[in-house]
Amino acid sequence: MVNRLAFSLSFALLYSVAEISFKVGGFPAPFSKVLSLENPPMEGKDVVILQNLLLRSPFVRPIEKSGVYDRETSEAVASYQKGNGLPSNGIFNTTTASLVLKQLMYDGYKDDHTVPSGYKFKVHIPVYKDRTIETIGTLYDSNNKVMHTFRARCHGAMDATGKEINQLTIDGNTPTGLVTFDLNSPEPNLKSFGPYPVIRAVKGLKGNAAIGKNKDDTFLSDYRSGILLHTGEWDHWNPSEPMPNSLGCIHVHPTDLHTIDDILVHKLGVVVHKNPFGENPYPYVPQGILSIEQID
């Protein structure tokens, strides 16, 4: 009897763990779990991202981006669910998560064709929803003069099923928006990053790149650090072919990055800061700006 009871309890425990793992694994990234009103309240990056996205819905009144799944957030989820014909219980489940990502991922960010005051350069890169399409980026000086154009690839990694990972997820497509940008010394892995200085995305100011609780807690500074404009010594690749996918960075041809670095340093007076390798907070004042906008 004892052995049978022990077996039953063990089986139930294994079943529960498997069920929980399935539910967590079944959530569309960057979300990972069911969110609901609890005591103490649930909180974390899932909630921050959800609150930011809900603010784009016409069915949701303004809410605080607190990172806490409070009554206000639950009511916002219920309003979103009701507006889309879903059971409006205020519980953020897989069905609601999938719809939120499908409907609210686009941030509406548009480049204003200016270089903000105080920056020595700007890089503008248009992207398509289909990130397999490479586009032409532009380097501007502080007076908005075109200094160089180059081919860019902003396609992140693929998941186990061969589907591209979205821009709100680690290693996913490069996020759209306005971002501070700075020149760093080369990365040590030449095969993955090439031999030249890299340009690091530092802090999101607008768009998906600025998702967070506030201006000091943004998507790039806390949720997805390590986005670089770089090249690589990629195996079996030649310049006539598309560049390989990155882990969320911006890939450019080696000759273009060499040219960009040369212009930044010798014509625009940009300093090559010692690479902090993702140190947070970033230890330098960013010298440039990056603008990535979806154009379709």
Side-chain angles (χ1 to χ4, degrees):
M1 179 68 178
V2 173
N3 288 339
R4 181 178 296 179
L5 178 60
F7 174 80
S8 299
L9 289 173
S10 298
F11 180 81
L13 179 60
L14 287 172
Y15 178 82
S16 297
V17 170
E19 184 180 33
I20 291 170
S21 299
F22 172 78
K23 287 181 178 178
V24 171
F27 255 83
F31 303 115
S32 61
K33 58 183 179 291
V34 172
L35 298 172
S36 59
L37 276 178
E38 304 290 344
N39 188 16
M42 303 178 77
E43 56 185 302
K45 295 177 183 177
D46 284 34
V47 183
V48 174
I49 294 172
L50 171 61
Q51 289 170 332
N52 277 262
L53 294 183
L54 285 174
L55 288 170
R56 299 174 183 173
S57 171
F59 303 117
V60 176
R61 293 181 297 179
I63 59 174
E64 183 181 356
K65 298 177 291 185
S66 63
V68 177
Y69 201 88
D70 51 16
R71 184 164 298 281
E72 181 184 48
T73 304
S74 177
E75 290 174 353
V77 169
S79 296
Y80 176 77
Q81 291 169 327
K82 182 178 180 180
N84 284 282
L86 300 175
S88 54
N89 53 18
I91 297 174
F92 185 70
N93 53 26
T94 54
T95 301
T96 306
S98 296
L99 191 61
V100 162
L101 291 175
K102 181 179 179 180
Q103 290 187 342
L104 307 178
M105 175 73 74
Y106 176 61
D107 57 12
Y109 169 76
K110 293 298 179 185
D111 183 72
D112 65 3
H113 307 291
T114 65
V115 180
S117 176
Y119 294 102
K120 295 181 178 180
F121 70 96
K122 173 182 174 180
V123 170
H124 172 246
I125 301 176
V127 295
Y128 292 99
K129 187 175 182 180
D130 179 2
R131 295 295 185 91
T132 63
I133 303 172
E134 295 183 351
T135 57
I136 301 300
T138 306
L139 170 66
Y140 298 90
D141 68 6
S142 60
N143 295 314
N144 212 31
K145 177 184 176 182
V146 174
M147 302 298 292
H148 185 64
T149 58
F150 56 93
R151 184 166 292 279
R153 187 176 185 86
C154 297
H155 194 305
M158 311 290 279
D159 66 17
T161 68
K163 183 180 179 181
E164 68 178 30
I165 302 175
N166 69 58
Q167 59 183 286
L168 300 182
T169 306
I170 292 174
D171 296 340
N173 291 337
T174 315
T176 50
L178 191 67
V179 182
T180 57
F181 218 24
D182 201 28
L183 189 61
N184 288 177
S185 56
E187 294 277 327
N189 186 333
L190 298 184
K191 181 178 179 180
S192 297
F193 297 95
Y196 308 115
V198 298
I199 315 179
R200 182 179 299 277
V202 178
K203 185 177 181 180
L205 303 176
K206 295 181 181 180
N208 281 337
I211 281 178
K213 294 180 185 178
N214 51 57
K215 64 182 181 64
D216 295 317
D217 173 83
T218 65
F219 189 58
L220 283 178
S221 62
D222 189 39
Y223 308 124
R224 257 197 81 177
S225 61
I227 294 177
L228 309 172
L229 187 149
H230 69 89
T231 189
E233 296 179 349
W234 304 305
D235 291 336
H236 313 298
W237 176 81
N238 68 71
S240 66
E241 301 173 336
M243 288 172 278
N245 295 336
S246 71
L247 296 179
C249 293
I250 304 163
H251 277 174
V252 298
H253 287 203
T255 53
D256 280 319
L257 185 57
H258 190 201
T259 299
I260 290 169
D261 288 343
D262 184 67
I263 292 171
L264 292 179
V265 173
H266 296 108
K267 294 185 178 181
L268 305 185
V270 175
V271 175
V272 181
H273 286 137
K274 183 179 179 181
N275 200 320
F277 301 110
E279 181 182 335
N280 193 13
Y282 187 71
Y284 314 110
V285 176
Q287 302 166 89
I289 207 83
L290 168 67
S291 176
I292 300 181
E293 64 170 324
Q294 184 178 317
I295 57 175
D296 63 347

